[in-house]
Amino acid sequence: MINRFRGNLKANVKQIRQKGSFAQNLAITFSATAFVAVLGFAVSPIMTRLYNPQSYGLFALFTAIVNNVNLISTLGYAPAFVLPRQRKRSIALVQLTVLLSLAALLLMSLAFWLIHDKLLRWLRAEELGVWFYVIPLAVFVFNLNVLMSAWYLRTKDFKKRAGIDVVTAVAGRSITLAVGWLGHGPAGGLLLGDLFSKFTMFFSMLFNGIHRQLGELRRPFSWSLIRAVAWEYREYPFYVMPTAYLNTLAGQLPIFFLATGFGTTAVGLFAFSTSLLELPINLIGNAVAPVFLQKAAETYQQDPERLKQICLNLYNKLFYLGLLPFGVITVFGDWIFSFVFGARWEQAGVFTGYLGYYYVFKLASYATSPIYAVLQRQRIALLGTALLVLARAGSLVLGMRLHNLNLGMLLFGLSSLIVTFLVDLNVLYLLHVPMLRVAMRTLLFVVITLGLLWGLRASLEGFLAGSFVRVASTARI
């Protein structure tokens, strides 16, 4: 067994050293996202003492609006940039995306100027003030960043892209901490840090090579070619964009529901909870997703039969990787948050417990979600995402109707877990994987892990209660 382990280790190291290999690209992107995740977690205890839940709530609302608008503004064409084999057609897609982003910037600036007061009153977020007018610019820069990220993905320049992520993270966090310390935690500190990081990423990607190719975007400009690629990749605005939008909306439903029903403080608690849960997801998922998408597409074109095994292997690895860490946060979330971040964030730990095990399946889905695009089954992906939105909305509506925030969040986490698991099984079914066997094994591991962790918590609670009684008795004596 030891010899087998050594053999696997040597094979993995050899693959990582191989220039341009899947393993090396994955290692590079993973290293960068690991640094970003560790940095985010390291500064979180400081952030929670500089910024209160209401500030986090206002920042979450700002970000939610930006994320909702940016997908619609480019009609979802940006991810398709890596698909054309001919360079002139990929450039035409870039031109199309830039034109759509410019049009969206103008339309949003006018629309936001007209609905500013009404929207802020509805969201109970009047404290955003003039920051609301920054949203169109933030969306425009975000779209350009997505476009340039796709450019780096197409050229497989993962190392340079990873370095940009590190610089961006350090710059954004530095500004946020500085403003929070000097200004005593205003929401503007979080907003300024986020905006600064977007601009840092934009200029870093632009002047790391792309600026030399800007002239190429102007010279072959052709309206007929732009219309041709827009029609060729019509699946993206018709199916991919709605799916991505619904997926974004599914994650942000609590922000809008909590803002209108329970106020920005509840939004801040939820947003901080999910931001920490997203750290390991971003750490692993953002490293795996782009590299796996490229590998899956390549495998499907050259050897379709291997795609099933590649997907299942990655699914199992991601599931087992998240099983224990997210189990711990599910069972001990309130204790951890109260101790690490302060007593005023304990409720955020309760929310984390409601959502923790859903994130196990969300992590595993990074091995399944790209398959819909590879197999060109975007319609099924759209239906799955629509089901997730409906399930989550129903959970939150029930919680609001009963004026029970905890019930709403518990149902939100449970419904998210069930729908995500069913979508993963559907992908495995499409690949002709024995999904019932996978489902039974997955559920068995979940039940065993949760049972052990809840038993450990009960034992610790009993031990602590007994210790408290003994201390109290000694004090009376």
Side-chain angles (χ1 to χ4, degrees), residues 128-164:
L128 277 177
V130 295
W131 282 105
F132 190 80
Y133 294 109
V134 181
I135 291 175
L137 178 61
V139 170
F140 180 70
V141 175
F142 183 89
N143 287 338
L144 294 182
N145 288 343
V146 170
L147 192 61
M148 288 190 288
S149 295
W151 188 293
Y152 279 101
L153 179 61
R154 184 178 178 86
T155 58
K156 298 183 181 181
D157 202 346
F158 295 100
K159 186 175 182 180
K160 188 177 293 184
R161 182 68 178 84
I164 292 171

Short mmCIF file of all heavy atoms in Angstrom, two decimals, residues 128-164:
data_model
loop_
_atom_site.label_atom_id
_atom_site.label_comp_id
_atom_site.label_asym_id
_atom_site.label_seq_id
_atom_site.Cartn_x
_atom_site.Cartn_y
_atom_site.Cartn_z
N LEU A 128 -27.17 53.73 1.26
CA LEU A 128 -26.25 53.61 0.12
C LEU A 128 -25.99 54.95 -0.55
O LEU A 128 -24.89 55.21 -1.03
CB LEU A 128 -26.81 52.62 -0.92
CG LEU A 128 -26.56 51.14 -0.67
CD1 LEU A 128 -27.23 50.30 -1.74
CD2 LEU A 128 -25.07 50.83 -0.63
N GLY A 129 -27.01 55.80 -0.60
CA GLY A 129 -26.85 57.16 -1.12
C GLY A 129 -26.24 57.19 -2.51
O GLY A 129 -26.69 56.51 -3.43
N VAL A 130 -25.18 57.98 -2.66
CA VAL A 130 -24.56 58.19 -3.98
C VAL A 130 -23.86 56.94 -4.50
O VAL A 130 -23.57 56.85 -5.70
CB VAL A 130 -23.56 59.37 -3.93
CG1 VAL A 130 -24.28 60.66 -3.63
CG2 VAL A 130 -22.46 59.10 -2.90
N TRP A 131 -23.58 55.98 -3.63
CA TRP A 131 -22.95 54.74 -4.10
C TRP A 131 -23.83 54.02 -5.11
O TRP A 131 -23.34 53.24 -5.93
CB TRP A 131 -22.65 53.82 -2.91
CG TRP A 131 -21.42 54.21 -2.14
CD1 TRP A 131 -21.39 54.82 -0.93
CD2 TRP A 131 -20.06 54.01 -2.54
NE1 TRP A 131 -20.08 55.03 -0.53
CE2 TRP A 131 -19.25 54.53 -1.51
CE3 TRP A 131 -19.45 53.44 -3.65
CZ2 TRP A 131 -17.87 54.49 -1.57
CZ3 TRP A 131 -18.07 53.40 -3.72
CH2 TRP A 131 -17.29 53.92 -2.68
N PHE A 132 -25.11 54.26 -5.06
CA PHE A 132 -26.02 53.62 -5.99
C PHE A 132 -25.68 53.98 -7.44
O PHE A 132 -25.83 53.16 -8.35
CB PHE A 132 -27.46 54.05 -5.66
CG PHE A 132 -28.52 53.29 -6.41
CD1 PHE A 132 -28.91 52.03 -5.99
CD2 PHE A 132 -29.13 53.83 -7.53
CE1 PHE A 132 -29.89 51.32 -6.68
CE2 PHE A 132 -30.10 53.14 -8.21
CZ PHE A 132 -30.48 51.88 -7.78
N TYR A 133 -25.19 55.21 -7.64
CA TYR A 133 -24.87 55.66 -9.00
C TYR A 133 -23.58 55.03 -9.54
O TYR A 133 -23.29 55.15 -10.73
CB TYR A 133 -24.73 57.19 -9.03
CG TYR A 133 -26.02 57.91 -8.75
CD1 TYR A 133 -26.21 58.59 -7.55
CD2 TYR A 133 -27.06 57.93 -9.68
CE1 TYR A 133 -27.39 59.25 -7.27
CE2 TYR A 133 -28.24 58.60 -9.43
CZ TYR A 133 -28.41 59.26 -8.22
OH TYR A 133 -29.58 59.91 -7.95
N VAL A 134 -22.82 54.38 -8.67
CA VAL A 134 -21.57 53.75 -9.08
C VAL A 134 -21.84 52.37 -9.71
O VAL A 134 -20.98 51.82 -10.40
CB VAL A 134 -20.61 53.61 -7.88
CG1 VAL A 134 -19.29 52.97 -8.28
CG2 VAL A 134 -20.36 54.98 -7.24
N ILE A 135 -23.03 51.83 -9.51
CA ILE A 135 -23.34 50.47 -9.97
C ILE A 135 -23.10 50.29 -11.47
O ILE A 135 -22.48 49.30 -11.88
CB ILE A 135 -24.78 50.08 -9.57
CG1 ILE A 135 -24.86 49.91 -8.05
CG2 ILE A 135 -25.22 48.81 -10.28
CD1 ILE A 135 -26.25 49.63 -7.53
N PRO A 136 -23.57 51.19 -12.37
CA PRO A 136 -23.31 50.98 -13.80
C PRO A 136 -21.82 50.88 -14.14
O PRO A 136 -21.42 50.03 -14.95
CB PRO A 136 -23.95 52.22 -14.46
CG PRO A 136 -25.01 52.63 -13.51
CD PRO A 136 -24.46 52.35 -12.14
N LEU A 137 -21.00 51.73 -13.52
CA LEU A 137 -19.55 51.67 -13.76
C LEU A 137 -18.97 50.36 -13.24
O LEU A 137 -18.13 49.73 -13.90
CB LEU A 137 -18.86 52.85 -13.09
CG LEU A 137 -17.33 52.90 -13.22
CD1 LEU A 137 -16.93 53.00 -14.69
CD2 LEU A 137 -16.76 54.08 -12.42
N ALA A 138 -19.42 49.92 -12.07
CA ALA A 138 -18.93 48.66 -11.51
C ALA A 138 -19.29 47.48 -12.41
O ALA A 138 -18.48 46.57 -12.62
CB ALA A 138 -19.51 48.44 -10.10
N VAL A 139 -20.49 47.50 -12.98
CA VAL A 139 -20.92 46.45 -13.90
C VAL A 139 -20.06 46.45 -15.16
O VAL A 139 -19.62 45.40 -15.64
CB VAL A 139 -22.40 46.62 -14.26
CG1 VAL A 139 -22.80 45.67 -15.40
CG2 VAL A 139 -23.28 46.38 -13.05
N PHE A 140 -19.78 47.63 -15.69
CA PHE A 140 -18.99 47.74 -16.92
C PHE A 140 -17.58 47.20 -16.71
O PHE A 140 -17.07 46.41 -17.52
CB PHE A 140 -18.93 49.20 -17.36
CG PHE A 140 -18.14 49.43 -18.61
CD1 PHE A 140 -18.60 48.98 -19.84
CD2 PHE A 140 -16.91 50.09 -18.57
CE1 PHE A 140 -17.86 49.18 -21.00
CE2 PHE A 140 -16.17 50.30 -19.72
CZ PHE A 140 -16.65 49.84 -20.94
N VAL A 141 -16.94 47.58 -15.63
CA VAL A 141 -15.58 47.10 -15.35
C VAL A 141 -15.59 45.59 -15.10
O VAL A 141 -14.70 44.86 -15.55
CB VAL A 141 -14.98 47.85 -14.14
CG1 VAL A 141 -13.61 47.27 -13.77
CG2 VAL A 141 -14.85 49.33 -14.45
N PHE A 142 -16.61 45.12 -14.40
CA PHE A 142 -16.73 43.68 -14.14
C PHE A 142 -16.84 42.90 -15.45
O PHE A 142 -16.20 41.86 -15.63
CB PHE A 142 -17.95 43.40 -13.27
CG PHE A 142 -18.12 41.96 -12.89
CD1 PHE A 142 -17.53 41.45 -11.76
CD2 PHE A 142 -18.89 41.10 -13.67
CE1 PHE A 142 -17.68 40.12 -11.41
CE2 PHE A 142 -19.05 39.77 -13.34
CZ PHE A 142 -18.44 39.28 -12.20
N ASN A 143 -17.64 43.40 -16.39
CA ASN A 143 -17.80 42.72 -17.69
C ASN A 143 -16.49 42.66 -18.45
O ASN A 143 -16.15 41.64 -19.07
CB ASN A 143 -18.85 43.45 -18.53
CG ASN A 143 -20.25 43.21 -18.02
OD1 ASN A 143 -20.51 42.23 -17.33
ND2 ASN A 143 -21.16 44.09 -18.35
N LEU A 144 -15.73 43.76 -18.42
CA LEU A 144 -14.44 43.76 -19.10
C LEU A 144 -13.48 42.78 -18.44
O LEU A 144 -12.69 42.11 -19.12
CB LEU A 144 -13.84 45.17 -19.10
CG LEU A 144 -14.60 46.22 -19.92
CD1 LEU A 144 -13.87 47.55 -19.86
CD2 LEU A 144 -14.79 45.78 -21.36
N ASN A 145 -13.55 42.66 -17.12
CA ASN A 145 -12.69 41.69 -16.42
C ASN A 145 -13.03 40.25 -16.80
O ASN A 145 -12.14 39.41 -16.97
CB ASN A 145 -12.81 41.87 -14.91
CG ASN A 145 -12.13 43.13 -14.42
OD1 ASN A 145 -11.31 43.72 -15.12
ND2 ASN A 145 -12.47 43.57 -13.23
N VAL A 146 -14.33 39.96 -16.92
CA VAL A 146 -14.75 38.62 -17.34
C VAL A 146 -14.24 38.32 -18.74
O VAL A 146 -13.76 37.22 -19.03
CB VAL A 146 -16.29 38.51 -17.29
CG1 VAL A 146 -16.76 37.22 -17.96
CG2 VAL A 146 -16.79 38.57 -15.86
N LEU A 147 -14.31 39.32 -19.60
CA LEU A 147 -13.87 39.16 -20.97
C LEU A 147 -12.36 38.89 -21.04
O LEU A 147 -11.89 37.98 -21.74
CB LEU A 147 -14.20 40.41 -21.77
CG LEU A 147 -14.07 40.33 -23.29
CD1 LEU A 147 -15.01 39.29 -23.85
CD2 LEU A 147 -14.39 41.69 -23.91
N MET A 148 -11.59 39.66 -20.30
CA MET A 148 -10.15 39.46 -20.30
C MET A 148 -9.75 38.16 -19.61
O MET A 148 -8.76 37.52 -20.00
CB MET A 148 -9.46 40.67 -19.64
CG MET A 148 -9.51 41.92 -20.51
SD MET A 148 -8.46 43.28 -19.90
CE MET A 148 -9.40 43.78 -18.45
N SER A 149 -10.52 37.74 -18.62
CA SER A 149 -10.26 36.45 -17.98
C SER A 149 -10.43 35.32 -18.99
O SER A 149 -9.65 34.36 -19.01
CB SER A 149 -11.21 36.24 -16.80
OG SER A 149 -10.96 37.18 -15.78
N ALA A 150 -11.46 35.43 -19.84
CA ALA A 150 -11.68 34.43 -20.88
C ALA A 150 -10.53 34.44 -21.87
O ALA A 150 -10.14 33.39 -22.41
CB ALA A 150 -13.01 34.71 -21.59
N TRP A 151 -9.96 35.61 -22.13
CA TRP A 151 -8.82 35.72 -23.04
C TRP A 151 -7.63 34.94 -22.48
O TRP A 151 -6.97 34.19 -23.20
CB TRP A 151 -8.45 37.19 -23.23
CG TRP A 151 -7.42 37.45 -24.29
CD1 TRP A 151 -6.11 37.10 -24.29
CD2 TRP A 151 -7.64 38.12 -25.54
NE1 TRP A 151 -5.48 37.52 -25.44
CE2 TRP A 151 -6.41 38.14 -26.22
CE3 TRP A 151 -8.76 38.70 -26.13
CZ2 TRP A 151 -6.26 38.73 -27.47
CZ3 TRP A 151 -8.61 39.29 -27.38
CH2 TRP A 151 -7.37 39.30 -28.04
N TYR A 152 -7.35 35.12 -21.19
CA TYR A 152 -6.24 34.39 -20.56
C TYR A 152 -6.52 32.89 -20.56
O TYR A 152 -5.60 32.07 -20.70
CB TYR A 152 -6.04 34.87 -19.13
CG TYR A 152 -5.24 36.15 -19.04
CD1 TYR A 152 -5.87 37.37 -18.84
CD2 TYR A 152 -3.85 36.14 -19.16
CE1 TYR A 152 -5.14 38.55 -18.76
CE2 TYR A 152 -3.11 37.31 -19.07
CZ TYR A 152 -3.77 38.51 -18.87
OH TYR A 152 -3.04 39.68 -18.80
N LEU A 153 -7.79 32.51 -20.39
CA LEU A 153 -8.14 31.09 -20.42
C LEU A 153 -7.93 30.51 -21.80
O LEU A 153 -7.42 29.39 -21.95
CB LEU A 153 -9.61 30.92 -20.00
CG LEU A 153 -10.17 29.49 -19.99
CD1 LEU A 153 -9.39 28.63 -19.01
CD2 LEU A 153 -11.65 29.51 -19.63
N ARG A 154 -8.26 31.27 -22.84
CA ARG A 154 -8.08 30.79 -24.21
C ARG A 154 -6.60 30.59 -24.54
O ARG A 154 -6.24 29.63 -25.23
CB ARG A 154 -8.72 31.77 -25.19
CG ARG A 154 -8.68 31.30 -26.64
CD ARG A 154 -9.37 32.28 -27.57
NE ARG A 154 -9.26 31.82 -28.94
CZ ARG A 154 -10.08 30.98 -29.54
NH1 ARG A 154 -11.10 30.47 -28.85
NH2 ARG A 154 -9.92 30.62 -30.79
N THR A 155 -5.77 31.48 -24.06
CA THR A 155 -4.33 31.37 -24.32
C THR A 155 -3.62 30.45 -23.33
O THR A 155 -2.40 30.27 -23.42
CB THR A 155 -3.67 32.76 -24.27
OG1 THR A 155 -3.90 33.36 -22.98
CG2 THR A 155 -4.26 33.68 -25.34
N LYS A 156 -4.38 29.92 -22.35
CA LYS A 156 -3.84 29.00 -21.32
C LYS A 156 -2.71 29.64 -20.52
O LYS A 156 -1.78 28.95 -20.07
CB LYS A 156 -3.35 27.69 -21.97
CG LYS A 156 -4.45 26.90 -22.66
CD LYS A 156 -3.91 25.58 -23.20
CE LYS A 156 -5.00 24.80 -23.91
NZ LYS A 156 -4.52 23.49 -24.43
N ASP A 157 -2.81 30.95 -20.31
CA ASP A 157 -1.80 31.65 -19.53
C ASP A 157 -2.23 31.68 -18.06
O ASP A 157 -2.50 32.74 -17.48
CB ASP A 157 -1.61 33.08 -20.07
CG ASP A 157 -0.26 33.66 -19.68
OD1 ASP A 157 0.39 33.08 -18.80
OD2 ASP A 157 0.14 34.67 -20.27
N PHE A 158 -2.32 30.50 -17.46
CA PHE A 158 -2.85 30.37 -16.11
C PHE A 158 -1.93 31.00 -15.06
O PHE A 158 -2.38 31.51 -14.05
CB PHE A 158 -3.07 28.89 -15.77
CG PHE A 158 -4.13 28.23 -16.61
CD1 PHE A 158 -3.78 27.44 -17.69
CD2 PHE A 158 -5.47 28.41 -16.32
CE1 PHE A 158 -4.76 26.83 -18.47
CE2 PHE A 158 -6.46 27.82 -17.10
CZ PHE A 158 -6.10 27.03 -18.17
N LYS A 159 -0.63 30.96 -15.30
CA LYS A 159 0.32 31.48 -14.32
C LYS A 159 0.17 32.99 -14.16
O LYS A 159 0.14 33.51 -13.05
CB LYS A 159 1.75 31.13 -14.75
CG LYS A 159 2.82 31.50 -13.73
CD LYS A 159 4.19 31.00 -14.16
CE LYS A 159 5.24 31.32 -13.11
NZ LYS A 159 6.59 30.83 -13.51
N LYS A 160 0.09 33.68 -15.28
CA LYS A 160 -0.06 35.14 -15.23
C LYS A 160 -1.41 35.52 -14.61
O LYS A 160 -1.49 36.45 -13.81
CB LYS A 160 0.06 35.71 -16.64
CG LYS A 160 0.12 37.22 -16.71
CD LYS A 160 0.32 37.70 -18.14
CE LYS A 160 1.69 37.31 -18.66
NZ LYS A 160 1.95 37.85 -20.02
N ARG A 161 -2.44 34.77 -14.96
CA ARG A 161 -3.77 35.04 -14.41
C ARG A 161 -3.80 34.83 -12.90
O ARG A 161 -4.44 35.59 -12.17
CB ARG A 161 -4.78 34.13 -15.09
CG ARG A 161 -6.22 34.32 -14.66
CD ARG A 161 -6.74 35.67 -15.13
NE ARG A 161 -8.13 35.83 -14.74
CZ ARG A 161 -8.52 36.25 -13.54
NH1 ARG A 161 -7.62 36.56 -12.62
NH2 ARG A 161 -9.80 36.38 -13.26
N ALA A 162 -3.10 33.82 -12.43
CA ALA A 162 -3.04 33.55 -10.99
C ALA A 162 -2.36 34.68 -10.24
O ALA A 162 -2.80 35.09 -9.15
CB ALA A 162 -2.31 32.23 -10.75
N GLY A 163 -1.28 35.22 -10.81
CA GLY A 163 -0.59 36.34 -10.17
C GLY A 163 -1.48 37.57 -10.05
O GLY A 163 -1.44 38.30 -9.04
N ILE A 164 -2.31 37.81 -11.05
CA ILE A 164 -3.23 38.95 -11.02
C ILE A 164 -4.25 38.78 -9.91
O ILE A 164 -4.60 39.75 -9.21
CB ILE A 164 -3.92 39.09 -12.39
CG1 ILE A 164 -2.90 39.52 -13.45
CG2 ILE A 164 -5.07 40.09 -12.33
CD1 ILE A 164 -3.43 39.49 -14.86
#
